[in-house]
Amino acid sequence: DVQLQAFGGGLVQAGGSLRLSCAASGFTFDDYATGWFRQAPGKEREGVSCISSSDESTYYADSVNGRFTISRDKYNNTVHLQMNSLKPEDTAVYYCAAGVIRNDPRRVSEYKYWGQGTEVTVSS
């Protein structure tokens, strides 16, 4: 069975850090780009970051660029999202996803597999 298990969320004060991880299994990890999305209450799911499987090129949303870092561990089929200088507006459920990106890594439709989400709450 395909699984993407995201973990590492929690409650943190503004300015703090969290590291999210996503463990993949049941598919060939190296064939897929992996990304992180987030969804705040009442808002649409938005692309946060993505890393390719081929050259590990990365994408970051403007809102997180310079604060978040995505990385891939191909030996353990895991993708991480290091989140620093967290802000209250980063509060959301964070989802990891895997897909073959053909056009735009920000699009939900580009991703085939999805994890269950991990909640991040940043207090002011």
Side-chain angles (χ1 to χ4, degrees), residues 7-101:
F7 53 95
L11 173 64
V12 64
Q13 287 188 330
S17 298
L18 282 174
R19 186 180 192 230
L20 305 184
S21 298
C22 177
S25 61
F27 64 98
T28 306
F29 187 68
D30 285 350
D31 288 348
Y32 293 84
T34 45
W36 288 94
F37 286 73
R38 66 186 181 187
Q39 188 165 18
K43 294 189 176 182
E44 291 187 355
R45 193 169 295 190
E46 64 168 339
V48 173
S49 184
C50 176
I51 185 166
S52 73
S53 58
S54 55
D55 59 2
E56 297 196 354
S57 57
T58 56
Y59 156 80
Y60 295 97
D62 290 343
S63 57
V64 307
N65 195 25
R67 300 188 295 123
F68 290 11
T69 303
I70 191 169
S71 61
R72 235 175 119 94
D73 179 353
K74 63 181 182 179
Y75 298 106
N76 292 299
N77 288 0
T78 304
V79 61
H80 305 285
L81 186 68
Q82 178 66 42
M83 306 187 297
N84 298 329
S85 303
L86 282 161
K87 304 175 181 180
E89 50 264 43
D90 295 318
T91 294
V93 177
Y94 283 70
Y95 299 88
C96 60
V100 178
I101 309 303

Side-chain angles (χ1 to χ4, degrees), residues 104-120:
D104 188 344
R106 297 169 294 181
R107 291 183 181 174
V108 170
S109 59
E110 297 275 8
Y111 296 84
K112 182 175 182 179
Y113 303 123
W114 289 85
Q116 84 286 5
T118 185
E119 189 166 0
V120 172

